[in-house]
Amino acid sequence: MGVVIPLEENRNPQASIAPLLELVHQDMALVNQLILSKTGSDVAMIPEVAKHLIDSGGKRLRPMLTLAAATMCNYDGKHHVTLAASVEFMHTATLLHDDVVDESDMRRGKKSARMVWGNQASVLVGDFLLGQAFRMMVDAGSMAALGVLSNAAAVIAEGEVMQLAAAQSMETTEDDYLAVIRAKTAALFSAAAEVGPILAGSEKPVQDAFRSYGVNLGLAFQLVDDALDYGGSKQALGKNTGDDFREGKITLPVLLCYRRGNEEDRAFWRDAMEKGSSDDIALGRAMQLMEQHGAISATISRARHYGQIARDALAPLPASPHKEALLEVVEFCISRVN
Amino acid sequence: MGVVIPLEENRNPQASIAPLLELVHQDMALVNQLILSKTGSDVAMIPEVAKHLIDSGGKRLRPMLTLAAATMCNYDGKHHVTLAASVEFMHTATLLHDDVVDESDMRRGKKSARMVWGNQASVLVGDFLLGQAFRMMVDAGSMAALGVLSNAAAVIAEGEVMQLAAAQSMETTEDDYLAVIRAKTAALFSAAAEVGPILAGSEKPVQDAFRSYGVNLGLAFQLVDDALDYGGSKQALGKNTGDDFREGKITLPVLLCYRRGNEEDRAFWRDAMEKGSSDDIALGRAMQLMEQHGAISATISRARHYGQIARDALAPLPASPHKEALLEVVEFCISRVN
């Protein structure tokens, strides 16, 4: 007897980020202004590279989390704008360094910064944006928020090294992989959400709720991203199907497919991911194996699990438009896989 | 009538870093312990890479400045140890990223980290150390110190981009070059010294004095480093004579030599530095031109100028063993050129 996983539970293919954007759009305008002003530099290359990334169609989900969380906790100052911008700078710095480390040619459907300005500029402009992020955190004046965000900065980098050092083996367990994405993706979602109640001076259970919401939303977001790489259209994600595969990046769909396959399948995955035999013919076989073993739907099912934890984390908090919008963001992150 | 530059003024070839080390050695033992504990990670590559750099014979001048400045200002807490370690982490992170950007093979006479572990690990472990540095600053609990150090982080990166973007031309002026090293080297010396009086709650003129001491010591230090590249022995500096030349790095000795030379000389420098014709034969000619135009002694004369400003910056402060040691460090930085 098999177990039927209720894939359709809570599914809302119309789920959107729009209600959140609508609620925070005035503050986001201030965040965008601040971002522009803080990428200014007499060194012309800095605003050029930063603008390339910042204009390239990211959803700015992370700063919106900070804004919505702060407002939902009745914060009435202006420092949530400063921290939201610093969160986006941390994210942008990470993208710049990631592209260098992964030797990526494309980012959101555009040439990556390193392809336009070189690896050197990507490393250094990333460092500059990180420095600016910390400057802004100091401006915001909350030592507790600084603690959360500086912790995230170290954890993110640790996660990246973990992935570089240990996770490039097909023997990586699902737990190992989760530890990597918990650090490299979920930690910033978590910090972005948590600094809202911290600024507002909310009680610890409220802080904890937002932290849990953030980390689980981040896990769901990353797992869906992993799934999209083997099934999303180029248009939907702004990256080509199979980018992770071609880069030999071992993600959860690959790990599940490897475990569920036979010896011959496993040899194929080892060749493709560990030895770099990942051309378009191999990608075709990979997609076929994913289909055969239900690896994509299993990955989305995992994402849905973390999404549910994120929803329940916010459950004790009083009803509000912001809460509704944050719950819908969970659905949006999962349903964008269509 | 020419002006004779008194090159020998205040010269003390026996000047040493030893008195400073002696005064701060108990605190430095705590800094070293903290550094070791904060490079710890379950991700094995992080302590390996960090240890490689940290063990590789740096003088740890910057954290010693923080310790000495704090003690000289009668600080009696423990946070100067935390900030000193965070300053060294910022420096180490910069070295890791620098080696990637400059494509350096060697660092202090050892293989650079990127040659052992690759560019990817160097970028990411650098990010991790920077994250840890900020965590430690938060631990130290001084928002003012955080402001100074986060400002330095952004300025350092900005200086590196400036060098990458604008300074790779022989038309770079001495002022442009100074702006680069003021940002990429002197800013951290300055911040390292300034956070001492900040922790101690000293008055603004005292803070200003240490900041001025730090920035000018940093300028002198970098200019002597530039000179050593064309005249120091491999043993003395732990790098090969001509490393900067081979990497096409335009430093003050080169800029002075270019300006003082004739058209033929200038064509040689453009070929060597801008077009990469910098083999060992070219290095021989470069050294001969440096000699002919007095470019090394002029660079050291410039260094001595900034060293004098550093000394005078501390002049108003009361006499103490720490002050004497900090003044001797200025002489040490300049006289190590022998």
Side-chain angles (χ1 to χ4, degrees):
Chain A
M1 277 184 21
V3 175
V4 178
I5 297 167
L7 274 182
E8 301 297 319
E9 184 192 11
N10 292 327
R11 190 163 194 173
N12 173 9
Q14 265 75 56
S16 160
I17 206 170
L20 178 64
L21 188 52
E22 177 63 27
L23 285 168
V24 300
H25 86 276
Q26 281 184 318
D27 284 341
M28 267 311 283
L30 299 174
V31 170
N32 290 336
Q33 268 176 29
L34 189 58
I35 285 176
L36 272 181
S37 81
K38 295 290 178 180
T39 52
S41 167
D42 292 341
V43 185
M45 198 190 276
I46 291 177
E48 279 172 29
V49 176
K51 197 172 177 325
H52 175 87
L53 255 122
I54 288 166
D55 284 358
S56 70
K59 287 176 293 298
R60 306 214 178 156
L61 187 50
R62 296 161 190 80
M64 285 200 283
L65 295 182
T66 303
L67 297 177
T71 307
M72 191 170 148
C73 297
N74 302 312
Y75 176 69
D76 64 356
K78 282 293 166 206
H79 292 319
H80 62 322
V81 168
T82 320
L83 289 186
S86 78
V87 162
E88 186 67 6
F89 270 30
M90 282 177 68
H91 174 54
T92 307
T94 307
L95 295 185
L96 280 165
H97 288 187
D98 267 5
D99 284 346
V100 172
V101 169
D102 297 341
E103 301 176 348
S104 300
D105 301 342
M106 303 289 281
R107 162 73 61 190
R108 296 187 193 132
K110 286 173 76 171
K111 268 192 183 178
S112 64
R114 73 176 204 99
M115 294 303 286
V116 185
W117 289 276
N119 281 337
Q120 301 168 314
S122 292
V123 170
L124 297 177
V125 176
D127 289 351
F128 174 75
L129 292 178
L130 205 57
Q132 288 291 64
F134 278 99
R135 264 181 176 166
M136 283 190 271
M137 291 172 212
V138 171
D139 289 344
S142 160
M143 197 57 95
L146 256 159
V148 166
L149 288 165
S150 63
N151 187 54
V155 167
I156 291 165
E158 200 170 16
E160 306 264 4
V161 184
M162 206 190 299
Q163 183 166 48
L164 185 69
Q168 287 311 308
S169 152
M170 288 305 303
E171 301 307 323
T172 304
T173 64
E174 182 165 343
D175 297 308
D176 293 337
Y177 182 68
L178 275 173
V180 168
I181 65 172
R182 196 177 281 276
K184 60 171 275 190
T185 306
L188 189 55
F189 276 82
S190 168
E194 191 179 0
V195 294
I198 286 177
L199 274 185
S202 303
E203 291 169 355
K204 192 167 174 305
V206 177
Q207 277 183 42
D208 293 348
F210 277 98
R211 186 173 62 244
S212 176
Y213 168 82
V215 74
N216 286 288
L217 175 65
L219 290 173
F221 179 90
Q222 184 60 57
L223 291 175
V224 169
D225 215 56
D226 293 350
L228 280 166
D229 202 73
Y230 290 95
S233 71
K234 191 170 175 174
Q235 243 175 339
L237 192 66
K239 69 178 185 180
N240 302 306
T241 297
D243 276 351
D244 289 348
F245 183 78
R246 273 182 288 264
E247 289 174 11
K249 202 183 278 182
I250 295 174
T251 58
L252 189 61
V254 171
L255 291 171
L256 290 174
C257 218
Y258 179 76
R259 274 153 205 283
R260 294 179 176 188
N262 60 25
E263 261 318 307
E264 193 191 335
D265 296 345
R266 280 197 272 273
F268 162 77
W269 285 112
R270 280 191 299 267
D271 274 359
M273 306 314 285
E274 295 176 2
K275 295 176 196 153
S277 311
S278 50
D279 58 13
D280 280 356
I281 295 166
L283 177 59
R285 173 145 184 219
M287 306 274 285
Q288 183 260 316
L289 288 172
M290 295 269 172
E291 180 66 30
Q292 182 187 328
H293 295 297
I296 299 299
S297 62
T299 299
I300 295 164
S301 159
R302 259 58 159 194
R304 197 169 296 282
H305 161 84
Y306 296 108
Q308 194 56 57
I309 300 178
R311 293 179 61 89
D312 282 325
L314 292 191
L317 303 183
S320 75
H322 288 83
K323 179 174 168 179
E324 278 315 302
L326 289 174
L327 293 178
E328 188 167 340
V329 163
V330 179
E331 283 313 297
F332 163 76
C333 283
I334 294 168
S335 61
R336 71 196 172 112
V337 79
N338 292 312
Chain B
M1 277 182 22
V3 175
V4 178
I5 296 168
L7 274 183
E8 301 297 318
E9 185 192 9
N10 292 327
R11 189 161 196 172
N12 173 8
Q14 265 75 55
S16 162
I17 205 170
L20 178 64
L21 189 52
E22 177 63 26
L23 285 169
V24 300
H25 85 276
Q26 282 184 317
D27 284 342
M28 267 313 282
L30 298 174
V31 170
N32 290 336
Q33 269 175 29
L34 188 58
I35 284 176
L36 271 181
S37 80
K38 296 289 179 181
T39 52
S41 166
D42 293 340
V43 185
M45 197 189 274
I46 291 178
E48 280 173 29
V49 176
K51 196 172 178 330
H52 176 87
L53 254 124
I54 288 165
D55 284 357
S56 69
K59 289 176 294 297
R60 303 212 179 160
L61 186 51
R62 294 160 190 81
M64 287 200 283
L65 295 183
T66 303
L67 298 176
T71 308
M72 190 169 149
C73 296
N74 303 312
Y75 176 68
D76 64 355
K78 283 292 166 207
H79 292 318
H80 62 323
V81 168
T82 320
L83 289 187
S86 78
V87 162
E88 186 68 5
F89 269 29
M90 281 177 68
H91 175 54
T92 308
T94 306
L95 294 186
L96 279 165
H97 288 186
D98 267 4
D99 284 347
V100 172
V101 169
D102 297 341
E103 300 176 348
S104 300
D105 301 341
M106 303 288 283
R107 162 75 59 190
R108 295 185 193 131
K110 286 172 76 170
K111 268 191 182 177
S112 64
R114 74 175 204 99
M115 294 303 286
V116 185
W117 289 276
N119 282 337
Q120 300 167 314
S122 293
V123 171
L124 296 177
V125 176
D127 288 350
F128 174 75
L129 293 178
L130 205 56
Q132 289 291 65
F134 278 99
R135 263 181 177 165
M136 284 189 270
M137 291 173 213
V138 171
D139 289 345
S142 159
M143 196 58 93
L146 255 160
V148 166
L149 289 165
S150 63
N151 187 52
V155 167
I156 291 165
E158 199 170 18
E160 305 264 5
V161 184
M162 206 190 302
Q163 185 165 45
L164 184 69
Q168 286 312 309
S169 152
M170 289 306 302
E171 301 308 323
T172 304
T173 65
E174 182 164 344
D175 297 308
D176 294 337
Y177 182 69
L178 275 173
V180 168
I181 66 173
R182 196 177 282 275
K184 60 172 275 188
T185 306
L188 189 55
F189 276 82
S190 168
E194 190 180 1
V195 295
I198 285 177
L199 275 184
S202 303
E203 291 168 357
K204 192 168 176 305
V206 178
Q207 278 184 42
D208 293 348
F210 277 99
R211 186 174 63 244
S212 176
Y213 168 82
V215 73
N216 286 289
L217 176 65
L219 290 173
F221 180 91
Q222 183 60 58
L223 291 175
V224 170
D225 215 58
D226 293 349
L228 280 166
D229 201 74
Y230 289 94
S233 71
K234 191 170 176 173
Q235 245 174 339
L237 191 66
K239 68 178 187 180
N240 302 304
T241 297
D243 276 352
D244 289 348
F245 183 78
R246 273 183 287 264
E247 290 174 10
K249 202 184 276 185
I250 296 175
T251 58
L252 189 61
V254 171
L255 291 172
L256 291 173
C257 218
Y258 179 77
R259 273 153 205 283
R260 292 177 178 190
N262 60 25
E263 262 316 306
E264 192 191 335
D265 296 345
R266 280 198 271 274
F268 162 78
W269 285 112
R270 280 192 298 266
D271 274 358
M273 307 313 285
E274 295 177 1
K275 295 177 194 152
S277 311
S278 51
D279 58 13
D280 280 356
I281 296 167
L283 177 60
R285 173 142 185 222
M287 306 274 286
Q288 183 259 315
L289 288 173
M290 295 266 173
E291 180 66 31
Q292 180 187 328
H293 295 297
I296 300 298
S297 62
T299 299
I300 295 165
S301 158
R302 258 56 159 196
R304 196 169 297 283
H305 162 83
Y306 296 109
Q308 194 55 57
I309 300 178
R311 292 179 62 88
D312 282 325
L314 292 190
L317 304 182
S320 75
H322 287 83
K323 178 176 170 178
E324 278 315 304
L326 288 175
L327 293 178
E328 189 167 338
V329 163
V330 178
E331 283 313 298
F332 163 75
C333 283
I334 294 167
S335 61
R336 73 196 171 111
V337 79
N338 292 315

